[in-house]
Amino acid sequence: MSHANEYAIVSTRRRNFLAFLPLAGAVLLGVVLAWGLTRDPSILPSTLIGKSVPAFELPPVKGRTLGLSSTDLKGEVSLVNVFASWCVACRAEHPLFMKLAAQGAVPLHGLNYKDQPDDAAQWLDSLGDPYTRTGADISGRVAIDWGVYGVPETFVISADGRVTYKHIGPVNEKVLTRTILPLVEELRRQTKGDNALGDGQ
């Protein structure tokens, strides 16, 4: 076979390969997008799951007396809700948290994200304050350490201060009753079991 023929064959194969690349890329992109559509955005994985909450200490929201720190999240199972007065979705979930606080089902702490002090205070004063403690994260640095994508987000914290669950978006009755509260009860049972083992040793 002449060099000319070899060159022609190689050139043809190269053109065919280059022509195939966009199709292969489109197929790959389609697969990725299709997989993404099957994912629930409210349960995006968090790198903090199973790890201790990041060390932090925040002053309370204006008008409140109890701030929020990482040490406050040890000793009992609790929830941490990331909220802001400018967050429309936060307003949607707020009545449910007020109900939860009235029932005393589980301690709920608020992480106030990038809010003006007066705005945050007015929001809680007008809508009600369901939080045991609040932390004013005006700069947003603490939320970044928590891996917050946006507000609202809600975390379930074990008694030993570890993040066990993260919900992105507003919490509704279904999420609360089918996922969050059962997990809270399971974590409480585990804590009692661990304490019983410790007492028996």
Side-chain angles (χ1 to χ4, degrees):
M1 183 182 293
S2 68
H3 289 298
N5 288 338
E6 287 181 0
Y7 179 77
I9 292 172
V10 169
S11 296
T12 301
R13 287 176 178 172
R14 184 177 298 163
R15 281 197 304 273
N16 290 341
F17 176 75
L18 293 176
F20 176 75
L21 279 179
L23 177 60
V27 169
L28 181 61
L29 180 61
V31 169
V32 171
L33 290 175
W35 177 81
L37 289 173
T38 65
R39 305 288 289 175
D40 184 347
S42 66
I43 53 174
L44 287 173
S46 170
T47 57
L48 284 182
I49 298 298
K51 297 180 181 178
S52 297
V53 299
F56 73 99
E57 185 171 0
L58 290 172
V61 169
K62 185 177 180 180
R64 276 70 203 163
T65 57
L66 299 176
L68 184 63
S69 69
S70 47
T71 56
D72 296 322
L73 301 177
K74 292 184 178 181
E76 62 181 341
V77 180
S78 63
L79 307 181
V80 173
N81 174 244
V82 185
F83 75 100
S85 65
W86 44 263
C87 166
V88 176
C90 296
R91 186 177 292 267
E93 70 179 0
H94 199 77
L96 191 59
F97 287 145
M98 290 297 294
K99 179 181 175 182
L100 187 67
Q103 294 171 342
V106 59
L108 173 65
H109 306 297
L111 183 63
N112 185 228
Y113 178 68
K114 287 190 174 181
D115 225 340
Q116 294 300 313
D118 288 338
D119 293 340
Q122 183 180 3
W123 198 77
L124 291 177
D125 288 342
S126 62
L127 297 180
D129 186 350
Y131 304 113
T132 304
R133 291 177 172 271
T134 57
D137 187 18
I138 296 175
S139 69
R141 289 185 180 276
V142 171
I144 290 174
D145 291 341
W146 279 67
V148 170
Y149 292 96
V151 288
E153 290 189 11
T154 302
F155 297 83
V156 179
I157 311 299
S158 64
D160 61 354
R162 294 181 183 275
V163 177
T164 61
Y165 177 77
K166 173 182 181 178
H167 178 81
I168 298 175
V171 171
N172 55 38
E173 190 79 39
K174 180 179 177 181
V175 170
L176 184 65
T177 58
R178 294 188 182 182
T179 302
I180 293 178
L181 291 181
L183 177 56
V184 167
E185 290 306 313
E186 175 61 26
L187 290 171
R188 284 173 173 166
R189 282 194 294 271
Q190 290 177 10
T191 301
K192 287 180 181 178
D194 292 342
N195 289 341
L197 286 174
D199 293 339
Q201 290 178 350

